[in-house]
């Protein structure tokens, strides 16, 4: 099974809004290094962080999540 590891679009939405990781970190009270990891898809934010990010960026939570393709290999 292969899964696309680019699971969120936080970086894309930030870029569209002309915002930075640092700005988002300050707004939601998280460490900038943590937000950077979320934006590079090194790690994924917990659900409560997705809710805070969506609220802060004034977008639906669904806009922050990528649909992934799962390919089964036998």
């Amino acid at each position: 099974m292969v899964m696309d590891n680019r699971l969120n679009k936080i970086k894309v939405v930030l870029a569209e809004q002309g915002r930075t990781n640092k700005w988002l970190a300050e707004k939601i009270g998280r460490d900038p290094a943590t937000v950077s990891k979320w934006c590079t898809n090194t790690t994924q934010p917990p659900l409560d962080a997705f809710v805070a990010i969506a609220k802060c960026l004034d977008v639906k939570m669904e806009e922050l999540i990528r649909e992934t393709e799962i390919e089964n290999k036998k």
Side-chain angles (χ1 to χ4, degrees):
M1 180 168 64
V2 176
M3 188 176 356
D4 185 352
N5 65 352
R6 296 171 292 150
L7 299 174
N8 74 60
K9 300 189 304 185
I10 298 169
K11 184 176 182 176
V12 173
V13 175
L14 284 170
E16 289 172 351
Q17 294 188 8
R19 309 251 187 223
T20 65
N21 299 359
K22 184 178 178 182
W23 174 87
L24 180 59
E26 290 172 0
K27 290 291 186 183
I28 64 171
R30 298 286 181 128
D31 186 271
T34 300
V35 174
S36 178
K37 288 177 184 178
W38 296 341
C39 290
T40 60
N41 283 288
T42 303
T43 62
Q44 295 302 311
L47 187 56
D48 66 318
F50 266 120
V51 172
I53 293 165
K55 185 176 179 180
C56 183
L57 295 174
D58 195 29
V59 296
K60 291 181 181 179
M61 210 167 80
E62 294 83 12
E63 292 181 47
L64 299 175
I65 302 170
R66 283 188 195 274
E67 292 183 32
T68 59
E69 292 180 23
I70 300 176
E71 180 182 317
N72 291 321
K73 291 192 174 190
K74 295 180 180 180

